[in-house]
Amino acid sequence: MTNMDGPTLPSTLTIPTPAPTSLLRYVEIETSRKCNRTCTWCPNGEHPVRRTQDLMPWHVYTSIVDQLGALGFSGWLAFHNYNEPLLNGRLTDEIDYAVRRVPDTKPAIYSNGDVLRRDLFDRLVDVGVEYLRITRYPHRADTPASFGAIQKWLRQAGLTDRYPWQFRTVRQGLAAEAETGKLRIEIISPQILDTYNNRGGSVTTLPLAVTVRTAPCLMTATSATIDYRGRMKMCCCVYPESASHARYVVGDLARSTFRQLWSSPQMDAYRSAHASADWSLSPACRSCTQRLPETRL
């Protein structure tokens, strides 16, 4: 999951249609709406929708999790997308429910770390989180990555002496890493202007470098993303509040099953096109430089 680099993809790939759920290895369920930041490299910086809290209806959440359990899902289950998951007071209950109903899943938390302190950290570990990524975003996009910023946060969170941290360079910038048992932790100080993209054109105020993507993408074959309303989206980069992205909402899980949306003609068309680097159905993908493992088999 955290190995950001990998082998070069062939120019075309064969994806079974409809894609079997056995390919699914990563699910993002954005169970809350609010983010406490308005970063210029994120569409939240241009839209006000994430400035107030709203939780996914509990019955919608439990229905999705129950369906993943019935499918035998054994991949990563993350509780974020454009939100800050640690602002959700119900989060540990959600993780506990998922662990009980989908016993082979691996819970993951991606956070800016602003509200994370030792007591909350311990609760997350106790409830079964297996991957925790804290990205210490700077206030300005041109701020260089810094080990000092990571060390300062570790002191504030009360975690400096909790693990033997390993400091190293990563794709996004600099990081402190630790592993214990099933838990892997990364604290990242990012190099924004060198590694971030414009989220399929939904970021318009920051002059991020735009590179036309020529490599295939397998995210639509291996990764499912659900927003706080319970809507499945084409992928994690989709920001429905942006007018150009509304077309990439696949359906509502309050009205359809997970399998119906995952195997829908719209998703099948995306994954077939993306496997050959054809962006005609999804122009937003042309400027996406996503390199997560979910883009590869």
Side-chain angles (χ1 to χ4, degrees), residues 103-147:
D104 293 328
T105 194
K106 299 180 284 290
I109 299 294
Y110 290 62
S111 169
N112 59 39
D114 287 351
V115 300
L116 184 61
R117 296 296 182 267
R118 181 70 172 262
D119 59 341
L120 177 54
F121 175 87
D122 289 341
R123 294 203 305 273
L124 292 172
V125 173
D126 289 344
V127 82
V129 169
E130 294 192 22
Y131 178 67
L132 177 63
R133 175 185 289 183
I134 304 298
T135 304
R136 295 304 297 154
Y137 299 109
H139 293 294
R140 291 174 50 91
D142 58 359
T143 301
S146 164
F147 284 127

Side-chain angles (χ1 to χ4, degrees), residues 23-254:
L23 287 179
L24 187 64
R25 65 190 194 194
Y26 190 89
V27 176
E28 287 185 18
I29 304 181
E30 184 188 61
T31 56
S32 61
R33 175 169 67 168
K34 187 176 182 179
C35 183
N36 60 312
R37 293 210 177 196
T38 54
C39 302
T40 55
W41 50 89
C42 173
N44 284 346
E46 303 181 31
H47 299 271
V49 66
R50 303 292 170 147
R51 297 172 194 173
T52 56
Q53 188 60 291
D54 190 13
L55 302 184
M56 177 183 287
W58 182 253
H59 72 278
V60 175
Y61 171 72
T62 57
S63 174
I64 295 168
V65 170
D66 289 348
Q67 291 177 66
L68 291 175
L71 292 171
F73 178 64
S74 60
W76 294 97
L77 182 63
F79 295 80
H80 77 288
N81 189 211
Y82 286 103
N83 61 330
E84 168 46 55
L86 298 187
L87 297 178
N88 175 6
R90 199 181 67 183
L91 179 62
T92 54
D93 291 334
E94 295 169 357
I95 299 171
D96 177 68
Y97 186 86
V99 169
R100 288 187 288 110
R101 303 294 291 187
V102 196
D104 293 328
T105 194
K106 299 180 284 290
I109 299 294
Y110 290 62
S111 169
N112 59 39
D114 287 351
V115 300
L116 184 61
R117 296 296 182 267
R118 181 70 172 262
D119 59 341
L120 177 54
F121 175 87
D122 289 341
R123 294 203 305 273
L124 292 172
V125 173
D126 289 344
V127 82
V129 169
E130 294 192 22
Y131 178 67
L132 177 63
R133 175 185 289 183
I134 304 298
T135 304
R136 295 304 297 154
Y137 299 109
H139 293 294
R140 291 174 50 91
D142 58 359
T143 301
S146 164
F147 284 127
I150 296 173
Q151 292 166 330
K152 178 181 179 181
W153 181 84
L154 287 171
R155 289 193 298 270
Q156 291 174 342
L159 296 172
T160 299
D161 301 323
R162 181 64 183 268
Y163 302 106
W165 299 100
Q166 302 295 315
F167 292 83
R168 70 181 187 92
T169 299
V170 294
R171 178 183 62 83
Q172 306 95 321
L174 303 173
E177 301 179 338
E179 291 191 52
T180 176
K182 292 183 177 181
L183 176 65
R184 176 177 173 82
I185 312 163
E186 289 188 303
I187 319 299
I188 297 175
S189 175
Q191 195 76 26
I192 301 293
L193 293 181
D194 293 340
T195 62
Y196 282 45
N197 62 65
N198 66 7
R199 288 282 185 169
S202 62
V203 175
T204 64
T205 61
L206 187 69
L208 295 169
V210 176
T211 302
V212 176
R213 185 182 185 114
T214 58
C217 178
L218 299 185
M219 188 165 285
T220 45
T222 62
S223 175
T225 306
I226 302 161
D227 76 359
Y228 70 95
R229 296 182 178 92
R231 301 181 301 181
M232 185 179 289
K233 307 186 298 182
M234 178 183 71
C235 75
C236 66
C237 287
V238 171
Y239 194 83
E241 289 75 22
S242 172
S244 63
H245 280 203
R247 63 191 285 186
Y248 304 123
V249 172
V250 179
D252 188 344
L253 283 159

Side-chain angles (χ1 to χ4, degrees), residues 15 24 43 70 225 254 258 265 271 280 284 287:
I15 300 296
L24 187 64
T225 306
F258 184 95
R271 55 179 64 103
S280 58
S287 61

